[in-house]
Amino acid sequence: MNRTAAELNDEAADMVARFRSVFIHYPPHVSLHGRLDYLQKIGQRTRGEPQMGMRVLAPSGSGKSTAAKAYIDLVETRRPRTPEYVPVIKVDLERHTTSKKLMVLILEAFRDPYASYGNELTLKRRVLSCFERFGTELLIVDEVQHLNYRNGLRNDVTDTLKGMLDTGLVPIAFLGTDEALPMFRRNLQLNGRLLPPCDLQPLKARSGRDQKLFTGYVARLDQVLVDEGIFSQQSGLNEPEILAALFDVSKGVVGRVNRLMHAAIEVAVRRGATRLEIADLSWAVDAWAVEQSFIDHNPFRKRRHG
């Protein structure tokens, strides 16, 4: 029986959403969880004293934001968020975020219905009050490359962040791309408050260790497709030629492999497949990776017709 377009949309959307809901075990992401846990626990033991921060820089698509969300889920599984207790807050910055906008975003994360009302000083006082009232133990600031740190020393948001650490209320993890590196290099006073960086670098094709990390990630991803009932058979993604093509497309950034799968899963589900085929992966590279300028060629097409 032929399915309608709406039914195909429903099934494809369900399967992609199911895949996206799974945190795939990847040692660098698990290490990031460990460092976030350490930062949070330092804050618990030194509350009232100047707090520490941590830098986490990585290329776009590295999975740092997904790993941070998974860490929050893990914390809230152990100690659930309640109307009176918010253990971890995460804010996603917008371009050219100012100190005032940062305060608004934090208040919104606390679900403050009046987050945008007041001047910068009033908003900052309310933010600090929220940290104290809700017992918050960690603030994660994502997309820090969007901070408006070039707007002159008097308006430098990094000074605001250092001031927040100095209040002794909450440690801060700073997540962003390498575009944020000049910001950290510029403010040595902020750097003095930071733990050693936990940056996530792209995997290198010539490194045996990195090859094992990449192979392990792809193998676990393949198993997730079966475990979550998306496909009934494994797709053989760890075959050498497929691994080489996936590495070429992703340039060693595993989150890009994950995102490529969204497109491949959709097209495979729409045709009623029991597993991903090279044709699905090739279509996903053309439709997503090439169109989004992550790569200028299709390594799957080259292998099929080369």
Side-chain angles (χ1 to χ4, degrees):
M1 179 178 177
N2 291 332
R3 293 174 293 174
T4 66
E7 289 171 337
L8 286 171
N9 285 341
D10 283 338
E11 184 176 2
D14 285 344
M15 294 306 171
V16 171
R18 192 177 297 180
F19 175 74
R20 290 183 60 180
S21 70
V22 178
F23 176 70
I24 298 174
H25 179 94
Y26 177 56
H29 291 165
V30 175
S31 295
L32 173 57
H33 284 185
R35 298 305 292 170
L36 290 171
D37 179 62
Y38 177 62
L39 180 63
Q40 185 174 344
K41 287 177 175 174
I42 287 180
Q44 292 171 351
R45 289 159 173 77
T46 60
R47 200 170 183 94
E49 303 174 16
Q51 293 291 294
M52 302 296 292
M54 183 174 70
R55 186 189 88 195
V56 185
L57 302 184
S60 176
S62 295
K64 57 187 178 298
S65 300
T66 301
K69 182 181 181 301
Y71 177 73
I72 294 173
D73 292 341
L74 181 62
V75 170
E76 293 188 353
T77 297
R78 296 169 178 167
R79 292 178 295 161
R81 175 174 177 154
T82 70
E84 296 78 31
Y85 173 61
V86 183
V88 183
I89 284 291
K90 180 176 179 291
V91 296
D92 301 318
L93 303 186
E94 302 165 359
R95 287 194 176 276
H96 308 301
T97 295
T98 61
S99 294
K100 182 176 180 179
K101 181 60 177 178
L102 174 62
M103 299 305 153
V104 171
L105 291 171
I106 295 173
L107 290 172
E108 287 176 346
F110 279 112
R111 300 171 186 170
D112 184 332
Y114 306 105
S116 60
Y117 290 85
N119 58 34
E120 182 180 331
L121 181 59
T122 299
L123 294 175
K124 182 177 180 180
R125 287 172 177 166
R126 284 165 53 196
V127 164
L128 297 179
S129 176
C130 282
F131 286 143
E132 195 162 16
R133 175 159 36 110
F134 292 104
T136 303
E137 299 170 352
L138 179 64
L139 169 63
I140 299 176
V141 180
D142 202 356
E143 306 293 353
V144 292
Q145 72 275 8
H146 291 162
L147 287 176
N148 191 19
Y149 68 92
R150 299 183 182 88
N151 198 26
L153 292 175
R154 293 182 61 185
N155 298 314
D156 196 331
V157 186
T158 56
D159 285 339
T160 299
L161 291 165
K162 177 185 174 295
M164 290 176 65
L165 292 173
D166 288 345
T167 64
L169 289 175
V170 63
I172 305 175
F174 303 95
L175 279 59
T177 67
D178 290 340
E179 293 175 23
L181 193 56
M183 179 186 77
F184 290 100
R185 288 176 173 168
R186 174 185 175 189
N187 196 322
L188 296 181
Q189 288 186 326
L190 176 61
N191 276 350
R193 290 277 187 264
L194 303 184
L195 297 175
C198 189
D199 298 340
L200 303 175
Q201 301 297 333
L203 300 177
K204 298 179 177 61
R206 295 185 178 182
S207 165
R209 174 184 174 277
D210 286 2
Q211 288 177 10
K212 289 180 181 179
L213 283 173
F214 190 81
T215 300
Y217 181 84
V218 172
R220 285 186 285 274
L221 185 155
D222 201 353
Q223 186 61 47
V224 163
L225 294 175
V226 176
D227 292 345
E228 293 299 312
I230 298 169
F231 299 115
S232 60
Q233 304 175 39
Q234 287 200 351
S235 302
L237 300 181
N238 60 347
E239 293 178 8
E241 286 197 353
I242 294 179
L243 277 174
L246 289 175
F247 199 99
D248 192 7
V249 172
S250 67
K251 296 180 173 61
V253 178
V254 296
R256 293 177 189 169
V257 177
N258 191 290
R259 293 183 186 182
L260 181 74
M261 290 300 126
H262 299 171
I265 290 169
E266 178 192 350
V267 71
V269 168
R270 287 183 182 279
R271 66 180 181 82
T274 59
R275 53 174 280 171
L276 288 176
E277 303 287 352
I278 289 181
D280 303 315
L281 297 169
S282 179
W283 182 89
V285 170
D286 284 335
W288 181 78
V290 173
E291 287 296 326
Q292 302 291 352
S293 300
F294 288 110
I295 193 170
D296 61 3
H297 64 281
N298 187 335
F300 289 105
R301 192 176 304 282
K302 181 179 179 180
R303 282 172 171 76
R304 292 168 66 198
H305 302 295

